[in-house]
Amino acid sequence: MAQPPLSDAQLIARAQVEDDRHAFAELVRRHQSTVRACLRKLTAGNHALADDLAQETFILAWRNLQSFRHEARFSTWLYRIATNCWLADARKRKEELLGDRVDELADDESDETLGSDALGNDPARATTLKLDLERAMSALSEGERAAIVQCYHNDLTHEEAAYVLDLPVGTVKTHVLRGKVKLKAALAAWAPT
Amino acid sequence: MGADVNVLLRPAHVNAMTNERNSLRVQPEPSTNGENWIERLLFDDAREHRDGYLADDGFTARVMGKLPATVAPPAWRNLALMVMWGAVAIAIATVLPQVFVDASREVYKLVAAQPVSLSGIGGALLAACALTWGAAAYTFRAAD
């Protein structure tokens, strides 16, 4: 009879107490998709940078695993590390203009299925809207972008997002509100008539 | 159809995590009225983002390859630890001889006051062995 898969808590305990690298590898396998996707949103679709930051995230998670006290879900803790990595990187370098990636994004059909309902009635329109949304997101401040990604794309509550971003809950809500106002203005052409 | 295929291609644990997250979701789906269109846009983009799964494609292997290597302690470390503890015990006995003598005298009185038997001697030896083994096991374990 096949053994049921170990829970995240069991894998973490093995990695912490027994220095079990196989357990940590399983944790990486389970969470790599969500962490990489989160970073792709934060980096405005820069896949290479997102994967580099994701690697850095998991290496930092390994180094600091002893300090994880289950005060939040493991995935939420990973988002916190990932967001800090992204912030540190964004402050070190100039952000590339999204315009350089127009062709790359238009040709990229490998990792996301374009919906045809709310995002547009045809794939071409959906691609354009997606591009405009990414451009508008990249124009937000770091705090606003991070808050919207955590609350919408990672589906965290405001309290969880506050933990990830290390900000008061009120500040997170303000960032989300201001971010949406800016997005609404930037995407006014897409507003329903 | 695309969403169904996506679910089938995802590992089982990812589907389980997605189902758990969906059951815990606190934000209701926004309505499609005119004022809420940005909320709707973000919601739909986020749902598409969450439903997507990024294949590992060697990512985990690359991460594990970059983890810092485990540093094995040198072979002489365990012996050095035991010698150090022994030296500490001798130093204490040397620095506080009177206290050591008094304590030994009291222990002897306690032991001597009891009838001596082979089983008693055996029990005392077993206790001494157990203490010594426990100390050695702790020393070696801490060294790992």
Side-chain angles (χ1 to χ4, degrees), chain A residues 21 41 118 152 155 180, chain B residues 21 25 39 44-45 50 68:
Chain A
R21 291 190 175 218
K41 275 295 174 187
Y152 285 89
D155 201 24
K180 285 199 293 187
Chain B
R21 184 179 292 282
R25 182 163 301 148
E39 189 80 15
D44 288 336
D45 186 55
R50 280 193 301 275

Side-chain angles (χ1 to χ4, degrees), chain A residues 155-160, chain B residues 21-29:
Chain A
D155 201 24
L156 302 182
T157 63
H158 287 131
E159 290 71 25
E160 288 174 321
Chain B
R21 184 179 292 282
N22 286 340
S23 70
L24 293 175
R25 182 163 301 148
V26 295
Q27 294 183 29
E29 280 206 27

Side-chain angles (χ1 to χ4, degrees), chain A residues 31-100:
Chain A
H31 294 278
Q32 57 85 24
S33 177
T34 52
V35 170
R36 288 164 68 200
C38 168
L39 283 165
R40 286 185 180 190
K41 275 295 174 187
L42 288 171
T43 58
N46 188 332
H47 294 187
L49 176 60
D51 281 1
D52 285 344
L53 293 176
Q55 280 190 19
E56 195 179 322
T57 297
F58 284 108
I59 292 170
L60 282 172
W62 168 256
R63 285 191 177 141
N64 295 290
L65 198 59
Q66 299 299 332
S67 68
F68 178 63
R69 297 279 181 263
H70 300 274
E71 64 274 17
R73 283 179 295 176
F74 185 66
S75 57
T76 309
W77 186 65
L78 287 176
Y79 290 147
R80 180 171 180 160
I81 299 174
T83 305
N84 287 336
C85 287
W86 167 71
L87 281 171
D89 181 80
R91 284 163 190 163
K92 271 195 301 184
R93 62 195 308 212
K94 282 185 181 179
E95 292 200 51
E96 295 173 8
L97 292 176
L98 189 63
D100 293 341

Side-chain angles (χ1 to χ4, degrees), chain B residues 8 25 30 36 44 49 69 99 103 125 132:
Chain B
L8 288 173
R25 182 163 301 148
N36 243 351
D44 288 336
H49 167 90
V99 172
L125 280 174
T132 306

Side-chain angles (χ1 to χ4, degrees), chain B residues 2-23:
Chain B
D4 291 338
V5 169
N6 220 13
V7 168
L8 288 173
L9 292 175
R10 282 193 306 230
H13 71 270
V14 175
N15 286 331
M17 286 162 61
T18 303
N19 290 339
E20 182 197 359
R21 184 179 292 282
N22 286 340
S23 70

Side-chain angles (χ1 to χ4, degrees), chain A residues 19 21 24-25 28-33 36-38 40-41 51 54-55 58-59 62 73 79 111-115 117-119 129 133 151-157 180 183-184 187 191-192, chain B residues 2-3 6 13-14 17 20-22 24-27 33-35 37-50 52-57 59-60 62-64 66-70:
Chain A
D19 203 30
R21 291 190 175 218
F24 187 74
V28 175
R29 254 187 294 275
R30 288 184 185 183
H31 294 278
Q32 57 85 24
S33 177
R36 288 164 68 200
C38 168
R40 286 185 180 190
K41 275 295 174 187
D51 281 1
Q55 280 190 19
F58 284 108
I59 292 170
W62 168 256
R73 283 179 295 176
Y79 290 147
D111 56 354
E112 291 197 42
T113 304
L114 296 177
D117 43 1
L119 290 184
L129 175 55
L133 178 58
C151 291
Y152 285 89
H153 299 89
N154 291 343
D155 201 24
L156 302 182
T157 63
K180 285 199 293 187
L183 288 175
K184 203 170 180 178
L187 298 170
Chain B
N6 220 13
H13 71 270
V14 175
M17 286 162 61
E20 182 197 359
R21 184 179 292 282
N22 286 340
L24 293 175
R25 182 163 301 148
V26 295
Q27 294 183 29
N33 65 48
E35 285 299 312
W37 67 270
I38 193 68
E39 189 80 15
R40 183 82 231 180
L41 180 64
L42 285 171
F43 187 87
D44 288 336
D45 186 55
R47 184 180 56 194
E48 185 182 288
H49 167 90
R50 280 193 301 275
Y53 173 74
L54 300 179
D56 192 280
D57 286 337
F59 177 84
T60 298
R62 287 193 294 277
V63 168
M64 298 310 291
K66 288 191 174 182
L67 292 186
T70 306

